[in-house]
Amino acid sequence: MASYISDDLRSGALVYHRLPRPGKLEIQPTKPLANQRDLALAYTPGVAAVCEAIAADKPLVGELTARQNLVAVVSNGTAVLGLGNIGPEASKPVMEGKAVLFKKFAGIDVFDIEINALEPDHVVNVVAALEPTFGGINLEDIKSPECFEIETRLREVMNIPVFHDDQHGTAIIVAAAIVNALFLGDKKLEDVKIVTSGAGAAAIATLNLLVSMGAKRENIWVTDIEGVVYTDRNVLMDPYKAAFAQPTDKRTLAEAIVGADIFIGLSAGGVLKPEMLKSMGERPLIMALANPTPEIMPDLAREARPDAMICTGRSDFPNQVNNVLCFPFIFRGALDAGATTINEEMKIAAVHAIAGLSRETPSDVVARAYGGETPVFGPNSLIPSPFDPRLILRIAPAVAKAAMESGVANRPIADFDAYQEQLDRFVFRSGLVMKPIFALAKQAPKRVIYAEGEDERILRAAQVVVEEGLARPILIGRPSVIETRLERFGLSIRPGREFDLINPEDDPRYRDYVQTYVDISGRRGITPELARTLVRTTPTVIAALAVVRGDADTMLCGVEGRFIRHLRHIRTIIGICPGVRDVAALSMLLTQKGAFFLCDTQVTPDPTAEDLAEMAQLASAHVRRFGIEPKVALLSHSDFGSRDDDSAKKMRHTLDLLLERAPDLMVDGEMEGDSALVPEMRERVLPGSRLQGVANILVMPNLDAANIAYQMVKVFGDALPVGPILLGTKRPAHVLTPSVTARGVVNMTAIAVVEAQGA
């Protein structure tokens, strides 16, 4: 059933889950355990006081433990993905994946719990007994129709939210798309005819939600593998499906779909034929959600009905119906309001929040993040992107308000402005800053040349770059070596097909490259003889010449060798952008507290105030590509005048220059590191600072400070490094470091492509 998975993806997924340690999750303490007192507070004897407090007042468990931010993702493995009943052990990777999404998208902690229980009674007993531990239950991959009974019974006996995402997550996204499609088609929900293909958990939950929103049962036609669900049908029936049975002599999807306004496919690929679409009503909505092959491919649907609005479950077409659009944020709002359940009012609030977000004019930050080409609301943009950072900002408050208004909130939110600010801070910390860069790179892939094309990390990165559609790789290396290593590593990309190759030992452009090198660098000590040698032996020289000659759009080098040696070739061949004093290196660290950019981590040992001001401006322009508003801190050992030595004066002069050259830039200094990163401390030292919130660009006084800080945070902070990003070159070029991973190469490829798009 998973035959659609490529061999590369299959082997890559196994390696991803196996190394460097098995699985995708770990437990992290949130309180210090540095000394004996910490231990006494965390465990015996101090913890006894906490136990007594909760025993006397049970609701305190939400204030004194992690319970109110802890969700159980529970499965018995009876309906895993498209694989069917493969058992609880085999479902665990999926449940771990769900846990990762909860944490990444909404900051919710999860224990994945796979249970060896098949009968509804057994499942209900096991899950209900977990209530003291969790603030919510997310049921996952439990087969239909048992899932309906299990969820219903658990909601009756448990006093925390119970949510079967396979049912309601899909239902909410489908309903949001329908709301917007009806708006565009000038139709009303109570008037439209709805036809489904499929009558499983997601389909029935979708129809129930639509009925609660105003759809009429007599206008809903359900079909499954046996055809139309009609009154008195006995084959493959259950009470949930029977609720939508029609008194009719129609027996096929082709008969039922005549005059339909909406088709909802949650069944199998290819079941909806083009001729069936021709019998539908005006401006129909076609939701072909089967994966990986939809009920009808969008191009066929468009050919048969040019006026149709089309949704699929796939990311390579517009209007992707993806549960991650809602479930993390619904739980976020429910947990924050202390909801005892997730009721219809909360689900409908989520529907309208998602639909409303699609109609919003993209903010400047979001528009920049997606290259200024964020889809405008319309037939090809009925629902937001799963990576739209505003999802949590719209859905969580809407759900929390609905919980309060419907009377199921135990901890009503008193100040929604403060709550919104809290969510804003989470969006900054979420670590999703690379997503807009990847989305933008895919819009217009460029040719990226990799100097060290024989390196394993480059080869593995090139495979991902090709699969993701980020760029057209050009590898510098010997063909025989690259072919051998591709075979050894089990990679499917091949030269001439998925990537291009420059053989330094035998390339027809050799003489032209030598002449270009002499023309550029002949007055900088590069003789024709030396040029011939370097073009044969130095991949960075070849890559830089390829960019200058237009054979590539951008380059990556530095996986092997010293940074400064690679930089020397780039300075000489590609050169510095007109008006820029010198290049600088910007390094990004993705941490649990957000993305931080440090400069200059690699190039200038002791920059002047003029150098630092230029770095700050170049860095700010680059950071805006990530959809992040720059907040610049000029760092020092001095905190707003506490010291008066040359270094402190240099940083003050840098501020003066920036205020003159970029008066709209949010920047302040000189300041110590904690003043930059802890707004409360900064406010105590200098109330009313120009810098608001947490700084995200940290400009260091010299190379020692920047590089040491970068390396230490990378190691001790368990941060993901991205870069270095080279600023100020005449054409896009970047020098990596020997410690870079294949993942780091992929990240830098996306950054290089986006830079090349605007070059």
Side-chain angles (χ1 to χ4, degrees), residues 546-719:
V547 172
V548 168
R549 289 177 54 84
D551 295 336
D553 299 303
T554 181
M555 65 171 284
L556 296 180
C557 63
V559 172
E560 299 168 2
R562 295 288 183 182
F563 184 97
I564 199 66
R565 178 172 60 85
H566 294 283
L567 180 61
R568 188 180 304 118
H569 293 309
I570 288 174
R571 271 194 179 121
T572 301
I573 298 170
I574 289 180
I576 299 170
C577 191
V580 172
R581 296 168 60 88
D582 197 4
V583 296
L586 178 70
S587 295
M588 178 165 65
L589 289 167
L590 299 178
T591 76
Q592 291 295 322
K593 295 190 175 182
F596 297 94
F597 299 82
L598 283 67
C599 64
D600 170 15
T601 56
Q602 303 287 341
V603 180
T604 308
D606 189 16
T608 65
E610 287 76 9
D611 294 329
L612 292 171
E614 182 176 87
M615 285 179 202
Q617 288 182 271
L618 292 171
S620 297
H622 211 101
V623 166
R624 287 192 177 97
R625 289 194 173 107
F626 292 86
I628 297 173
E629 198 61 41
K631 298 182 179 181
V632 183
L634 306 176
L635 296 189
S636 173
H637 63 289
S638 174
D639 209 20
F640 298 111
S642 64
R643 303 283 288 270
D644 207 28
D645 51 30
D646 289 343
S647 176
K649 290 177 181 177
K650 177 171 72 172
M651 302 311 284
R652 280 177 226 153
H653 185 33
T654 302
L655 177 63
D656 293 337
L657 292 171
L658 285 169
L659 294 180
E660 178 184 337
R661 298 174 184 177
D664 295 332
L665 182 64
M666 190 186 299
V667 58
D668 212 339
E670 83 285 11
M671 69 179 77
E672 294 179 355
D674 50 5
S675 291
L677 300 176
V678 184
E680 295 80 8
M681 294 193 67
R682 183 168 65 248
E683 185 66 18
R684 286 201 295 270
V685 177
L686 184 72
S689 166
R690 287 175 49 87
L691 181 62
Q692 299 298 309
V694 178
N696 49 37
I697 299 178
L698 307 177
V699 179
M700 305 287 183
N702 56 46
L703 180 59
D704 284 344
N707 191 270
I708 292 169
Y710 170 68
Q711 300 293 351
M712 292 184 71
V713 173
K714 185 172 69 172
V715 175
F716 295 137
D718 196 23

Side-chain angles (χ1 to χ4, degrees), residues 50 54 116 144 182 222 237 242 248 409 464 574 754:
V50 184
I54 295 171
N116 189 13
S144 175
L182 295 180
V222 176
M237 291 296 289
T248 181
V464 176
I574 289 180
V754 171

Side-chain angles (χ1 to χ4, degrees), residues 322-336:
N322 188 330
N323 287 10
V324 80
L325 274 165
C326 72
F327 73 80
F329 317 121
I330 288 172
F331 268 96
R332 182 73 279 157
L335 294 174
D336 291 340

Side-chain angles (χ1 to χ4, degrees), residues 142-435:
I142 299 174
K143 73 183 182 75
S144 175
E146 289 90 338
C147 61
F148 297 111
E149 178 186 349
I150 289 168
E151 188 196 42
T152 299
R153 289 174 56 185
L154 285 172
R155 290 181 64 181
E156 290 172 352
V157 300
M158 299 185 79
N159 204 37
I160 57 175
V162 178
F163 188 82
H164 186 209
D165 185 46
D166 296 331
Q167 294 181 52
H168 308 299
T170 301
I172 288 165
I173 308 305
V174 169
I178 288 174
V179 166
N180 280 339
L182 295 180
F183 175 83
L184 291 172
D186 195 23
K187 300 177 183 180
K188 295 182 178 179
L189 185 57
E190 59 265 29
D191 298 331
V192 295
K193 179 179 178 180
I194 301 169
V195 177
T196 75
S197 174
I204 297 300
T206 298
L207 296 178
N208 285 333
L209 179 59
L210 292 173
V211 168
S212 70
M213 293 173 62
K216 294 181 178 177
R217 284 184 183 269
E218 57 265 32
N219 292 339
I220 296 174
W221 296 70
V222 176
T223 69
D224 61 10
I225 196 170
E226 290 291 324
V228 172
V229 173
Y230 59 88
T231 305
D232 298 327
R233 195 183 99 172
N234 297 316
V235 180
L236 284 182
M237 291 296 289
D238 58 63
Y240 311 99
K241 194 185 301 185
F244 293 96
Q246 288 277 17
T248 181
D249 59 359
K250 293 181 172 65
R251 293 295 182 265
T252 67
L253 174 60
E255 294 173 312
I257 205 169
V258 175
D261 299 282
I262 298 169
F263 168 80
I264 302 173
L266 289 157
S267 55
V271 302
L272 183 62
K273 307 303 180 185
E275 56 269 22
M276 297 181 189
L277 271 60
K278 295 177 181 178
S279 69
M280 295 181 71
E282 293 183 3
R283 299 199 73 183
L285 173 63
I286 300 163
M287 308 197 76
L289 307 180
N291 251 328
T293 305
E295 284 79 3
I296 186 169
M297 292 299 290
D299 55 342
L300 287 177
R302 185 77 61 204
E303 184 179 340
R305 288 299 299 262
D307 62 333
M309 292 170 273
I310 304 167
C311 299
T312 70
R314 291 172 41 152
S315 61
D316 52 346
F317 294 110
N319 293 323
Q320 183 195 11
V321 173
N322 188 330
N323 287 10
V324 80
L325 274 165
C326 72
F327 73 80
F329 317 121
I330 288 172
F331 268 96
R332 182 73 279 157
L335 294 174
D336 291 340
T340 57
T341 186
I342 295 175
N343 56 26
E344 291 301 293
E345 292 88 345
M346 295 160 72
K347 286 184 264 183
I348 292 172
V351 169
H352 289 297
I354 294 167
L357 178 56
S358 294
R359 301 184 202 179
E360 288 185 28
T361 301
S363 68
D364 292 342
V365 172
V366 174
R368 279 198 303 271
Y370 286 88
E373 297 187 16
T374 307
V376 177
F377 173 62
N380 288 324
S381 184
L382 296 174
I383 43 182
S385 160
F387 298 110
D388 193 318
R390 297 169 295 173
L391 282 163
I392 192 171
L393 305 178
R394 303 295 182 272
I395 299 174
V399 169
K401 284 179 182 176
M404 293 162 57
E405 291 168 0
S406 60
V408 298
N410 277 338
R411 292 189 306 277
I413 295 171
D415 185 344
F416 269 91
D417 289 338
Y419 182 51
Q420 195 78 34
E421 185 178 337
Q422 175 186 330
L423 295 175
D424 278 330
R425 288 199 301 269
F426 171 76
V427 170
F428 171 71
R429 294 196 312 267
S430 65
L432 296 173
V433 293
M434 286 302 301
K435 292 298 180 183

Side-chain angles (χ1 to χ4, degrees), residues 430-471:
S430 65
L432 296 173
V433 293
M434 286 302 301
K435 292 298 180 183
I437 296 294
F438 275 77
L440 184 52
K442 291 177 183 181
Q443 290 180 13
K446 297 294 184 180
R447 299 163 300 166
V448 179
I449 188 165
Y450 302 85
E452 296 91 357
E454 297 176 0
D455 189 278
E456 178 182 354
R457 292 164 292 177
I458 297 296
L459 294 172
R460 291 194 181 280
Q463 179 77 46
V464 176
V465 166
V466 168
E467 289 178 352
E468 293 288 323
L470 298 173

